[in-house]
Amino acid sequence: MELALRAARLGLGTTAPNPSVGAVIADEKSGEVISVGTTAPGGRPHAEPLATALAGARARGKTMYVTLEPCSHVGRTPPCVDAVLTAGISRVVVAQEDPDPRVAGRGLARLRQAGVAVSRGLLHEEARWLTRGHIVRVTERRPFIQLKLAVGSDGAVPRGGAGKPVFVTGDVARAHGHMLRARTDAILIGGGTLRDDDPDLRCRLPGLAGRSPIRVVLAGGQLPAPSIRMAATAARAPLWIMAAAPTLAAGQDRAEALRRAGCRVLQVGDVGGRPWLPSVCEALVGEGITRLLVEGGPALWRSFAEAGLADEVRLFRAGAAGEPLGRGHLTIPPFLGRLLPGLTLQPVDRRRLGPDDMMTFRHDRPLP
Ligand SMILES: NC(=O)c1ccc[n+]([C@@H]2O[C@H](COP(=O)([O-])OP(=O)(O)OC[C@H]3O[C@@H](n4cnc5c(N)ncnc54)[C@H](OP(=O)(O)O)[C@@H]3O)[C@@H](O)[C@H]2O)c1
């Protein structure tokens, strides 16, 4: 199952609106791994038929480990349960049931009815976290939300300006930040960051340019000008501008010019003329987004935190690598409560990235 989870992790950011699933076919007697499948880019084919196709006749009588319950309904592809049964798999171990009402235990029931031995719950917690974008899309109509912050060791947030971001962290941390971009479906910034930094927001890791997420700007009182840097690459990495009705009504010419430049302009619900985040989430989910990386800046982080709309926080701290590592040192820096009011965070990881470090926190409310 650990191997299946690794396989699923590889597909994060490429399979929306479907979850990235990993499936492993193994021979329990010899301990041999026969095949490994990951949900294909675009979400189809699913991991199970890929793994059975790779294994061919060798799948017969073997065990499949899969990170999410196989689907049992006919969607744009035949049900995965059929692929498992046709391949002659005799035992299926799933990490978790699929909360999608079209599946919700039916996949497992069909396997059992066909005489397949089924067990579930292995490495459930890790699988649940990996699949959280899919789970909250189905249960809460929002994507998995990751807040990414880069700060000085004292928690100060550097401000960009004159159309350029200011980087506090070094190359290793920045490369890691780009990896987060590769693993998300969409990346979001606020109007303030757009004005100060005029950023690009694509994934610039060698070989992973194709993994750039959909770029989303949350406009406040004004729509951005079509001359922003990101508009020039809108044909290669989509750019969506989200704004409230009053902003759109006041900026019809700009909206038209942005559309001509290849951007999408989407209307979202508002409170007092400013985009209302639950409505932003609903719109993103409606467009098939399951994982959202909020890059900032501080006003936007605060809004997401105050609304309780965060699953994970990635905090990059410049020059903090010297602090001791280890479980005992997994504490919450005092400045984080000021930057992210309203979140109850659990520290789960801290690692060195060159001279800097990255801390990971989970805001893990019980899911329905
Ligand atoms: N170190 C880092 O990790 C990092 C990351 C990103 C940015 N930054 C820096 O942060 C600075 C910008 O931060 P900022 O706090 O001024 O602006 P921001 O958070 O980037 O954007 C805030 C603006 O977004 C618009 N907005 C729309 N809906 C919103 C909502 N529901 N909640 C909050 N804002 C909403 C508003 O635009 P209007 O003002 O048009 O109404 C608001 O002023 C830049 O200098 C940038 O360099 C640092």
Side-chain angles (χ1 to χ4, degrees):
M1 188 61 85
E2 277 178 4
L3 186 56
L5 286 166
R6 274 180 190 220
R9 209 169 280 123
L10 290 176
L12 290 177
T14 69
T15 62
N18 289 345
S20 180
V21 174
V24 171
I25 297 176
D27 184 333
E28 305 278 8
K29 290 201 189 87
S30 68
E32 184 193 356
V33 169
I34 297 169
S35 67
V36 182
T38 300
T39 311
R44 289 181 310 274
H46 291 180
E48 303 92 317
L50 284 172
T52 53
L54 275 172
R58 299 191 64 209
R60 191 152 296 277
K62 305 297 190 311
T63 298
M64 177 183 278
Y65 291 85
V66 58
T67 58
L68 183 68
E69 175 182 9
C71 64
S72 53
H73 60 285
V74 182
R76 280 183 286 177
T77 47
C80 289
V81 164
D82 288 1
V84 174
L85 294 177
T86 308
I89 295 281
S90 61
R91 177 172 176 243
V92 173
V93 182
V94 302
Q96 59 184 332
E97 275 186 21
D98 188 342
D100 187 326
R102 295 170 301 175
V103 190
R106 287 191 201 96
L108 300 185
R110 269 202 60 204
L111 290 170
R112 285 197 183 101
Q113 278 157 16
V116 176
V118 173
S119 57
R120 69 184 169 96
L122 185 62
L123 299 184
H124 166 265
E125 268 308 300
E126 209 38 50
R128 179 174 152 277
W129 199 258
L130 206 73
T131 320
R132 198 168 166 101
H134 171 68
I135 298 172
V136 294
R137 179 180 76 90
V138 171
T139 57
E140 299 184 18
R141 295 291 296 167
R142 68 172 180 87
F144 171 81
I145 299 169
Q146 234 176 0
L147 308 182
K148 183 201 151 213
L149 293 68
V151 302
S153 53
D154 56 353
V157 181
R159 283 199 78 91
K164 269 201 191 126
V166 167
F167 299 118
V168 268
T169 49
D171 291 348
V172 185
R174 296 230 314 273
H176 207 89
H178 279 258
M179 196 63 204
L180 295 181
R181 292 181 179 178
R183 288 183 169 167
T184 193
D185 303 333
I187 181 168
L188 179 75
I189 59 161
T193 299
L194 183 71
R195 279 191 295 275
D196 283 2
D197 299 2
D198 195 13
D200 179 89
L201 300 184
R202 285 179 294 169
C203 173
R204 290 192 292 280
L205 290 178
L208 291 184
R211 298 273 301 253
S212 290
I214 293 168
R215 300 169 296 174
V216 187
V217 175
L218 205 55
Q222 242 195 348
L223 287 178
S227 56
I228 54 173
R229 182 171 292 149
M230 284 189 282
T233 50
R236 273 166 279 153
L239 174 59
W240 298 354
I241 313 291
M242 290 188 155
T247 307
L248 291 174
Q252 286 178 13
D253 292 348
R254 269 203 174 176
E256 205 34 58
L258 284 164
R259 288 194 188 99
R260 277 200 304 275
C263 313
R264 281 186 75 187
V265 181
L266 297 131
Q267 182 178 323
V268 288
D270 66 292
V271 174
R274 185 181 248 201
W276 186 49
L277 295 184
S279 169
V280 170
C281 288
E282 172 71 38
L284 289 169
V285 160
E287 295 292 335
I289 302 300
T290 65
R291 293 173 61 84
L292 178 70
L293 178 66
V294 178
E295 280 220 354
L300 207 55
W301 297 330
R302 175 176 275 272
S303 289
F304 272 90
E306 282 173 346
L309 286 169
D311 298 288
E312 193 175 270
V313 174
R314 295 291 181 117
L315 176 71
F316 293 82
R317 294 187 305 167
E323 291 179 23
L325 288 171
R327 277 232 140 247
H329 300 281
L330 271 181
T331 51
I332 301 181
F335 58 79
L336 204 55
R338 174 171 49 78
L339 290 171
L340 303 175
L343 295 183
T344 316
L345 296 173
Q346 299 295 327
V348 292
D349 187 54
R350 177 173 165 242
R351 62 186 63 186
R352 289 194 177 120
L353 299 171
D356 314 313
D357 80 350
M358 180 189 71
M359 299 186 82
T360 303
F361 305 89
R362 288 179 180 173
H363 178 236
D364 194 8
R365 289 159 303 121
L367 295 173

